[in-house]
Amino acid sequence: MSLRHWGLALLIVLAWGVNFVVIRFGLDELPPLLLGGLRFALVAFPALLFIKPPNLPLKWLLAYGLTISFGQFALLFSAMYVGMPAGLASLVLQSQMLFTMLFALMLLGERWRLPQLLSLIVASSGLALLATKTPADEMTLAGFLLTIAAAASWGMGNIVNRRIGQLGGVNLMSLVVWGALVPPIPFLLLSLWLEGPELILSSLNQMGLKSVGSLLYLALVATLFGYGSWAFLMRHYPASTVAPLTLLVPVVGLITAWLVLDEGLSLIQLAGIALILLGLMINVFGDRLRFRAMRRAVADDLHNAGKGR
């Protein structure tokens, strides 16, 4: 990538990593389901007045909106509301890669290769370590499980995204904006049911700069800038060049949570984090390294055969 586009990629990573601390700020003044509904309402309006709807069947737009947008963030916001630390949330959510692999195996019949199996074992070990060794006053079990469920929803959304990509000619920015029309309705209905009209009204009346700033950041920076710029990079460069950069998101999330929210980590939590990151790296780079090793072995065999002559 050019230096300018590397800079853009790092800005995206920064925007997505800081996103978790911003969510924490938003939850200080707004309940999770109301926060989610307002976020996606801001993503959709007024952007849809300037962006054409995506060229795809309605069922796929609904599937995208209900998995990647509604399901993922309803569960993530609720997880952080009931005790999931922002930094750990940024990391555990990346287990979406593992769920994507599982769903691709079950629904698409894709076969696993050795690096994928290894990545599942290593990253799952790290998740188990975090779940069992993190004190309850630092992370609740409900928060952890809801974050895992959010990752599963994202993983299912990736399968939907893959199907949409097979249709061809779908603009990602258009998909993000028009897909944002789907989640506000279930968000607000669930908010009325679970959070209640009294809490909704009191939260809206007491909204301050913290919640307004959080909403603007989540809608304009994390979603429209983040996904729009990501779509630009994916159009101009191979996925193998761009996609691994998402591994930096939990690194930024953990550092930001430590600096801003004073979220500390024990040695055993650091060990769990290291295992998860290692598992994700095996998934991203494993096939490439295995191919290079095979190519080097073939080259060595040819070289030795040449010497034998």
Side-chain angles (χ1 to χ4, degrees):
M1 287 195 292
S2 69
L3 187 61
R4 185 167 58 118
H5 289 162
W6 270 114
L8 179 62
L10 292 177
L11 279 177
I12 298 169
V13 168
L14 180 64
W16 284 347
V18 172
N19 181 53
F20 293 87
V21 169
V22 174
I23 292 170
R24 178 67 271 160
F25 287 156
L27 291 171
D28 288 342
E29 295 184 358
L30 293 171
L33 298 173
L34 179 61
L35 178 65
L38 293 175
R39 171 195 180 160
F40 284 100
L42 277 176
V43 171
F45 297 100
L48 61 80
L49 300 177
F50 307 98
I51 297 177
K52 294 180 180 179
N55 183 25
L56 80 163
L58 178 61
K59 66 178 182 179
W60 292 114
L61 185 66
L62 290 173
Y64 177 89
L66 290 173
T67 53
I68 282 188
S69 299
F70 171 68
Q72 178 188 177
F73 290 104
L75 292 163
L76 175 64
F77 287 9
S78 298
M80 295 180 65
Y81 192 71
V82 299
M84 186 66 181
L88 289 179
S90 71
L91 176 72
V92 174
L93 192 64
Q94 296 306 313
S95 62
Q96 56 85 15
M97 288 188 183
L98 308 180
F99 285 105
T100 302
M101 288 163 43
L102 286 170
F103 292 142
L105 174 70
M106 293 187 296
L107 302 176
L108 304 179
E110 292 187 3
R111 294 181 179 179
W112 284 2
R113 295 177 295 278
L114 180 60
Q116 292 176 311
L117 183 59
L118 285 175
S119 74
L120 181 65
I121 294 171
V122 173
S124 297
S125 301
L127 288 170
L129 198 59
L130 283 182
T132 56
K133 299 300 181 181
T134 301
D137 60 341
E138 295 180 18
M139 181 191 75
T140 63
L141 179 60
F144 179 82
L145 293 176
L146 283 168
T147 307
I148 291 290
S153 185
W154 186 359
M156 181 59 72
N158 287 336
I159 302 301
V160 172
N161 233 342
R162 190 175 301 182
R163 181 67 184 91
I164 290 172
Q166 292 171 352
L167 299 176
V170 178
N171 181 280
L172 181 57
M173 190 64 176
S174 174
L175 179 63
V176 169
V177 170
W178 284 83
L181 278 176
V182 177
I185 295 173
F187 261 122
L188 295 176
L189 287 176
L190 276 178
S191 181
L192 280 169
W193 178 35
L194 298 175
E195 296 164 351
E198 290 185 7
L199 179 58
I200 291 173
L201 289 175
S202 65
S203 299
L204 291 175
N205 288 331
Q206 295 172 16
M207 280 181 66
L209 289 176
K210 184 186 285 189
S211 52
V212 171
S214 298
L215 281 169
L216 291 174
Y217 185 95
L218 293 173
L220 303 181
V221 179
T223 305
L224 292 178
F225 165 74
Y227 284 103
S229 301
W230 191 255
F232 170 81
L233 292 177
M234 292 292 284
R235 279 198 303 267
H236 288 80
Y237 298 98
S240 59
T241 300
V242 180
L245 293 172
T246 57
L247 291 174
L248 294 174
V249 171
V251 176
V252 175
L254 287 162
I255 292 173
T256 307
W258 171 56
L259 292 173
V260 178
L261 302 176
D262 197 29
E263 291 184 2
L265 296 169
S266 66
L267 286 176
I268 199 160
Q269 286 175 314
L270 289 172
I273 288 168
L275 284 172
I276 295 170
L277 288 174
L278 177 60
L280 297 177
M281 290 177 69
I282 292 171
N283 184 47
V284 172
F285 299 109
D287 280 330
R288 195 182 308 177
L289 294 174
R290 189 177 67 158
F291 176 74
R292 286 181 182 175
M294 291 173 60
R295 188 170 59 182
R296 190 178 298 114
V298 170
D300 289 343
D301 289 343
L302 291 174
H303 180 70
N304 292 333
K307 277 186 175 181
R309 293 196 191 101

